[in-house]
Amino acid sequence: SKLIRIKSLWLMSIIWVFGAGANLGIYSIIPLYLTKELQLDIGYANTILGISRLGAVFVAIACGFLIDRFNLRKIMFLVLIITSILTVLLGLVSVSYIGIVLFLQAFFVTAFFPVGLVALAKTFNREMRSLATGIILAVSILFAGGILPYMLGVSGDMVSFRLGITILGIFVALASTLIFHLKELE
């Protein structure tokens, strides 16, 4: 009751929707995008999708190292703004560069999760942390894992996946600016 009136809960929810959406939303539609719209062979599309996720193994370790040494707010902003740029590029680059951009996008978007969890821990006090985290993750899974992939699919059916992916990248950039409104991360 008191928690839902806290501005940081809703700011963090929006940040998480688009941070997770750039991961789950893209991952959900990328096979269709690669095969239907970019006309890649299904075997090749599966290979570059699989390889693109390999960099994620090193991200969590790197994030732990960076968070201990640098400003959390700056790291979170950089991770999201780079993710947004790479997501926009995913919708704009030619087929010959799609594998490289997909690898880099998957690498940076994966960094959002460890950084985002540390930000959640710093944003909410001990009494509110569990409930706040539950609400934020529920909202982000609903939108990032359900509604955003659906909207990207609608975009792919009606216009193009490229347009939907590019617009998602723009929204990730806009969401990244909300980090500077979280006074708890100062």
Side-chain angles (χ1 to χ4, degrees), residues 27 32 35 40 47 56 63 65 77 90 93 98 102-103 114 121-122 125-126 139 161-162 181 183:
Y27 187 75
L32 270 176
T35 56
L40 294 176
T47 300
C63 284
F65 174 80
F77 175 75
L90 204 53
V93 297
I98 202 75
L102 187 60
F103 179 85
K122 290 192 182 239
N125 65 37
R126 192 171 209 187
V139 167
F161 286 111
R162 283 186 182 270
H181 297 279
K183 61 184 182 299

Side-chain angles (χ1 to χ4, degrees), residues 10 37 153 185:
W10 302 110
E37 193 163 310
L185 295 183

Side-chain angles (χ1 to χ4, degrees), residues 76-130:
M76 193 169 180
F77 175 75
L78 276 173
V79 163
L80 279 176
I81 205 71
I82 292 168
T83 294
S84 73
I85 292 165
L86 291 165
T87 303
V88 167
L89 285 175
L90 204 53
L92 299 178
V93 297
S94 71
V95 178
S96 50
Y97 295 106
I98 202 75
I100 295 164
V101 174
L102 187 60
F103 179 85
L104 291 172
Q105 194 269 358
F107 183 85
F108 280 96
V109 76
T110 303
F112 169 75
F113 295 98
V115 172
L117 288 170
V118 172
L120 283 175
K122 290 192 182 239
T123 301
F124 300 98
N125 65 37
R126 192 171 209 187
E127 294 77 35
M128 292 184 196
R129 192 173 299 142
S130 297

Side-chain angles (χ1 to χ4, degrees), residues 21-44:
N23 189 339
L24 299 172
I26 296 293
Y27 187 75
S28 297
I29 59 99
I30 212 74
L32 270 176
Y33 172 52
L34 296 176
T35 56
K36 181 183 173 199
E37 193 163 310
L38 300 184
Q39 304 293 312
L40 294 176
D41 172 70
I42 195 161
Y44 180 68

Side-chain angles (χ1 to χ4, degrees), residues 46-55 103:
N46 284 334
T47 300
I48 64 171
L49 178 61
I51 290 171
S52 76
R53 301 292 152 169
L54 290 178
F103 179 85

